[in-house]
Amino acid sequence: MTNTSDNRRYITNFGSLQAGHVLTDILVIGSGVAGSSAAIEATKFGRVTLMTKGAFRDSATATAQGGIAVASAPDDSPKLHYDDTMRVGGGLNVPAAVDLLVKQGPARIEALLSWGWQADRDNGTLARGREAGHSLSRILHAAGDQTGRILAETLYEKVQTEARVRLFENCFLIDLITVDGRCLGAVTYHQKYGHQLIWAKQTILASGGCGQIWRETTNPPCATADGVAVAFRAGALLRDMEMVQFHPTTLYIAGAGRALISEAVRGEGAYLVDADGYRFMAEVHPDGELAPRDIVSRAIHDHLTKTRTTCAYLDVRHIRHFAQRFPFISELCHNFQIDPAHDLIPIRPSAHYMIGGVAVDLQGASNLDGLLCCGEVASTGVHGANRLASNSLLEGLVFGAICGETAGNRATKNSQPARIIDLVEDRPRSVRTELDLPDIDNSLRSVMWRNVGIVRSKDRLNETKDILGFWAHYVLDKTLNSPAGWQTQNKLTVARIVTQSALARNESRGVHFRSDAPAITPGKPYHVLVKQIGQETSVERGPLETTS
Ligand code: SIN
């Protein structure tokens, strides 16, 4: 299936003669757990430039609560962790990638602890929490529910000790540079230095996820889908972009930010109830509140629709020491006059994690020579069609390090230093219409939440495809000159990809639910593959092995 569209290769104009230049061996884009791990590993091989569009700590990693899933208890094993990941994954996991995750995970955690990560302990041994889909307690955490903040601080300290890592903060990724199908670095924009071209022997994209495409999301403001959009324009193959994980429990207070209420809260025994105090999960799944995330999210959606109510509630009143175990969530609730010891916590599901992404092989390599990807922007195949809770920080640690090593080895083999190439992009400016960027952002987020959210259907997806296509005519033709504008263009680009991918998968599998096709299609599972070819977007199904 091929669709015409308003695609372009670069969204900004630039020229080698007008821009500043930086030359490096390995460029890492993104400072979350995957990017930092990649940079720390790659520095063993050469000079690394680590760029991020905000401050180092502005990443989804820093907001993670629940923790890091890893087989570390005496009664646990990589095999059990593998089995849980595959069971939840809905038939789309790449078994060899899951194998790498669970087998290399324990060593990555040892390394992290040696860098000073202060995991919570019970009488000296690592404390382990429980989350949905895990057959036993294996989630490591730090400062109760501030696992990500402590992790980001540890990674920051470690990166600071690496003499060959140069950190560029406030450096926005506009596009990857490609020449003859090879990635040579990135076109960037820095508040102070303007446009810069960063030339690298190898580029590692670790720029995070896409949550800001949806009105309801747990993701921080930086999750604007830049990495997927940029990779798509460069010709990278995208895989399973319809696979968006919705988290069941986000604090729902009108006007307040949609803060995550960790699954670990249900792991500690919280009840999910409606306004009448009814525990509706009991009738949906034998594991009740600890059923896999997709099932809980859909059950909440269905129950709210059936009862015509706006939110469900977490009841934690019976959990002893709640405030000690979950200090961040407790404080958050208190900020809104909710006392978890006495009050129910209002929640709703929201977009949480982009499972799909740039297709990569077991070394983290994409179909573009010189481009590797890790973290949420990548599709390693670890998560299949439904990510097991708390597997993504571990994926960032493991596949970040793998990408760093692959890039390091490839950069070392290539004896040619990164070099400046004469390159000019100079499209005439479109003078059609002024843009109200916040209005486009809000409209986009609303339509995606309404039509490409937890429950989808062919009619609604087609309607959304048309709406987004109409907007694309006058939003994507513009040559804008600020990160806010590029982010809007990136969000729109990726929203279209998600919608088209959701249309292409006319079955329900894992996190992707189609009310007009509510079952798995019998036979061999398939990937949905998306690629920009010239000005067109190709969307098609491909076999499970496809990475390039
Ligand atoms: C949570 O704490 O519930 C989020 C963990 C995850 O998304 O893996």
Side-chain angles (χ1 to χ4, degrees):
M1 188 196 327
T2 305
N3 303 284
T4 33
S5 63
D6 304 82
N7 297 336
R8 45 195 285 203
R9 173 58 194 93
Y10 293 101
I11 51 166
T12 191
N13 284 338
F14 65 94
S16 298
L17 288 180
Q18 286 81 39
H21 297 274
V22 174
L23 274 69
T24 189
D25 293 322
I26 297 145
L27 170 62
V28 180
I29 301 162
S31 60
V33 61
S36 301
S37 302
I40 291 164
E41 195 63 29
T43 193
K44 295 176 183 162
F45 300 83
R47 290 168 307 146
V48 176
T49 299
L50 172 57
M51 61 170 273
T52 177
K53 70 176 173 179
F56 181 92
R57 292 178 179 83
D58 295 339
S59 67
T61 294
T63 66
Q65 294 179 5
I68 311 182
V70 70
S72 65
D75 57 345
D76 200 357
S77 68
K79 171 80 173 78
L80 280 178
H81 190 186
Y82 176 94
D83 290 345
D84 288 346
T85 303
M86 296 295 286
R87 181 170 32 78
V88 167
L92 279 194
N93 308 77
V94 173
V98 179
D99 201 53
L100 277 178
L101 176 87
V102 299
K103 287 194 176 145
Q104 294 194 7
R108 297 318 318 167
I109 296 296
E110 283 305 318
L112 188 60
L113 293 169
S114 77
W115 301 338
W117 185 57
Q118 296 287 330
D120 294 331
R121 291 178 184 266
D122 280 337
N123 299 321
T125 55
L126 290 169
R128 296 179 195 89
R130 184 81 185 260
E131 288 184 16
H134 292 273
S135 52
L136 43 69
S137 298
R138 64 160 70 93
I139 319 295
L140 308 186
H141 46 85
D145 52 6
Q146 295 164 84
T147 307
R149 181 175 67 75
I150 306 290
L151 175 59
E153 278 165 17
T154 306
L155 293 169
Y156 182 72
E157 296 303 325
K158 176 69 178 157
V159 163
Q160 293 299 317
T161 65
E162 301 290 354
R164 291 203 290 183
V165 179
R166 204 169 154 198
L167 175 61
F168 279 179
E169 294 179 302
N170 304 310
C171 183
F172 188 88
L173 166 69
I174 302 175
D175 266 309
L176 294 167
I177 303 170
T178 50
V179 174
D180 297 333
R182 181 173 166 70
C183 180
L184 299 178
V187 188
T188 68
Y189 176 82
H190 190 281
Q191 282 167 2
K192 202 153 131 203
Y193 309 114
H195 282 76
Q196 296 189 106
L197 304 186
I198 305 183
W199 302 91
K201 291 183 182 182
Q202 296 285 319
T203 300
I204 301 175
L205 187 61
S207 53
C210 309
Q212 290 300 329
I213 287 176
W214 286 271
R215 193 187 74 208
E216 308 292 332
T217 181
T218 61
N219 287 192
C222 58
T224 53
D226 305 316
V228 173
V230 158
F232 171 71
R233 287 195 290 273
L237 180 72
L238 307 182
R239 193 166 66 182
D240 299 333
M241 287 295 294
E242 71 284 8
M243 294 297 176
V244 181
Q245 185 168 58
F246 294 88
H247 195 289
T249 56
T250 315
L251 183 64
Y252 185 71
I253 296 179
R258 300 289 188 252
L260 175 71
I261 307 288
S262 175
E263 191 149 302
V265 170
R266 276 173 288 130
E268 294 288 332
Y271 307 141
L272 199 49
V273 297
D274 65 13
D276 297 326
Y278 173 59
R279 285 178 70 184
F280 53 90
M281 278 311 299
E283 67 189 51
V284 178
H285 194 276
D287 292 340
E289 281 89 349
L290 280 184
R293 239 175 230 190
D294 58 318
I295 292 170
V296 182
S297 292
R298 266 198 305 282
I300 297 173
H301 174 277
D302 292 349
H303 197 73
L304 297 184
T305 310
K306 198 170 79 189
T307 55
R308 295 169 183 261
T309 45
T310 50
C311 66
Y313 299 88
L314 277 172
D315 185 352
V316 303
R317 293 174 296 184
H318 55 289
I319 300 178
R320 289 176 61 217
H321 310 305
F322 183 83
Q324 283 97 308
R325 173 67 179 86
F326 299 106
F328 176 80
I329 295 170
S330 289
E331 194 185 326
L332 181 73
C333 289
H334 279 288
N335 288 343
F336 294 101
Q337 269 88 46
I338 295 166
D339 177 358
H342 298 105
D343 304 320
L344 299 180
I345 304 172
I347 57 90
R348 265 168 70 135
S350 67
H352 183 57
Y353 191 88
M354 173 49 81
I355 291 175
V358 181
V360 293
D361 64 16
L362 296 177
Q363 275 80 48
S366 75
N367 60 312
L368 290 181
D369 199 14
L371 179 69
L372 302 114
C373 304
C374 50
E376 197 170 346
V377 75
S379 166
T380 57
V382 156
H383 307 305
N386 191 13
R387 180 177 67 97
L388 184 66
S390 286
N391 260 358
S392 45
L393 291 180
L394 191 69
E395 189 201 24
L397 288 168
V398 169
F399 284 86
I402 288 174
C403 273
E405 189 181 351
T406 309
N409 275 321
R410 292 182 181 184
T412 308
K413 276 196 199 122
N414 175 0
S415 53
Q416 292 252 330
R419 64 200 168 91
I420 299 168
I421 287 177
D422 194 12
L423 210 59
V424 177
E425 172 78 2
D426 189 16
R427 277 171 53 114
R429 279 175 191 275
S430 161
V431 288
R432 280 199 294 160
T433 65
E434 281 292 304
L435 291 184
D436 179 343
L437 293 175
D439 189 46
I440 296 163
D441 285 345
N442 289 336
S443 305
L444 177 73
R445 297 176 73 196
S446 292
V447 77
M448 289 299 286
W449 182 247
R450 217 170 41 243
N451 291 352
V452 198
I454 297 170
V455 175
R456 303 154 175 190
S457 70
K458 186 176 174 188
D459 290 350
R460 293 291 193 90
L461 291 170
N462 270 321
E463 179 194 322
T464 310
K465 186 178 154 200
D466 291 346
I467 293 170
L468 300 181
F470 175 63
W471 294 347
H473 290 319
Y474 58 87
V475 174
L476 298 184
D477 68 333
K478 301 277 179 307
T479 302
L480 303 173
N481 55 12
S482 72
W486 297 319
Q487 285 179 167
T488 297
Q489 291 178 318
N490 288 339
K491 283 184 279 190
L492 179 54
T493 300
V494 175
R496 296 179 83 195
I497 292 168
V498 173
T499 305
Q500 292 181 23
S501 301
L503 265 170
R505 188 177 289 284
N506 61 347
E507 63 167 353
S508 292
R509 181 185 291 276
V511 295
H512 171 71
F513 185 78
R514 288 267 302 255
S515 57
D516 56 327
I520 285 184
T521 306
K524 264 197 126 185
Y526 55 87
H527 286 305
V528 174
L529 304 170
V530 178
K531 199 170 172 188
Q532 173 165 307
I533 302 171
Q535 296 237 314
E536 303 208 325
T537 303
S538 151
V539 183
E540 56 189 22
R541 294 180 185 173
L544 274 197
E545 301 71 37
T546 323
T547 54
S548 58

